[in-house]
Amino acid sequence: MKSISVVLTAAFVLAASSAFSDSRVFIIANQSDGYGIDQCLARGEKCGAHAALSYCKSRAFDQAVAYRRVDPDEVTGSVPTSGSACHHGKCDEFVAITCQR
């Protein structure tokens, strides 16, 4: 009985430590470069995984846990809907990449 409580305690500690891992969401411009990586990121497709991982590693994070297109309404005031990010009535899209240590 004592060994079961030790195993459960260890499992709880491991689960709690992963819940407190350092993660951060980066909002970046989804700039069309002709290679399609930006579309993979924006659509959350598997082909964007390497680009998201590279982005996270360049900022000293170990992994990319998520990536997707950001709707401007999700990030009030931070994602421009007019000005230099908009050209000929079309605004740039943005991508959210969640990185974790």
Side-chain angles (χ1 to χ4, degrees):
M1 187 69 160
K2 197 173 202 178
S3 64
I4 292 174
S5 64
V6 170
V7 170
L8 289 175
T9 302
F12 177 73
V13 169
L14 288 174
S17 67
S18 66
F20 293 112
S21 62
D22 184 20
S23 66
R24 184 169 174 194
V25 177
F26 294 92
I27 307 294
I28 58 171
N30 182 29
Q31 299 171 345
S32 178
D33 58 7
Y35 291 100
I37 296 298
D38 54 331
Q39 293 303 316
C40 291
L41 284 168
R43 294 180 188 149
E45 295 175 3
K46 189 175 181 176
C47 56
H50 185 71
L53 177 62
S54 295
Y55 186 88
C56 291
K57 287 193 176 264
S58 73
R59 280 146 185 82
F61 284 85
D62 297 327
Q63 60 184 342
V65 294
Y67 51 94
R68 64 181 179 82
R69 182 184 165 276
V70 175
D71 186 60
D73 294 337
E74 290 181 68
V75 191
T76 307
S78 296
V79 176
T81 55
S82 63
S84 64
C86 300
H87 311 284
H88 306 292
K90 185 177 181 216
C91 298
D92 293 342
E93 291 185 341
F94 292 84
V95 173
I97 299 176
T98 305
C99 301
Q100 192 171 55
R101 286 190 179 26

